[in-house]
Amino acid sequence: MRATRIVIIRVGNAMIALEHSGFYGRFDPDLTRPAAEKAATRLHEALESSSRG
């Protein structure tokens, strides 16, 4: 059995879907927040670099 969390992240006009999954016995839901924070930071950085040219 697998456990999955799907997080929708929006920065400005861009959106991404983060899927955090693992086997039910080993799935650590406390890792979803740090993964989402890192994904949001990377999305923000990518948007900034693309707007610079």
Side-chain angles (χ1 to χ4, degrees):
M1 182 187 269
R2 293 184 61 84
T4 302
R5 279 190 171 176
I6 298 175
V7 181
I8 305 298
I9 301 170
R10 179 176 172 246
V11 176
N13 290 327
M15 292 178 71
I16 60 171
L18 171 70
E19 177 188 333
H20 178 214
S21 62
F23 290 106
Y24 183 74
R26 299 182 196 161
F27 182 74
D28 186 354
D30 293 333
L31 295 177
T32 302
R33 183 178 185 93
E37 289 171 349
K38 186 163 194 143
T41 299
R42 286 188 176 182
L43 177 58
H44 193 285
E45 290 169 352
L47 291 172
E48 283 184 344
S49 67
S50 69
S51 69
R52 286 187 227 141

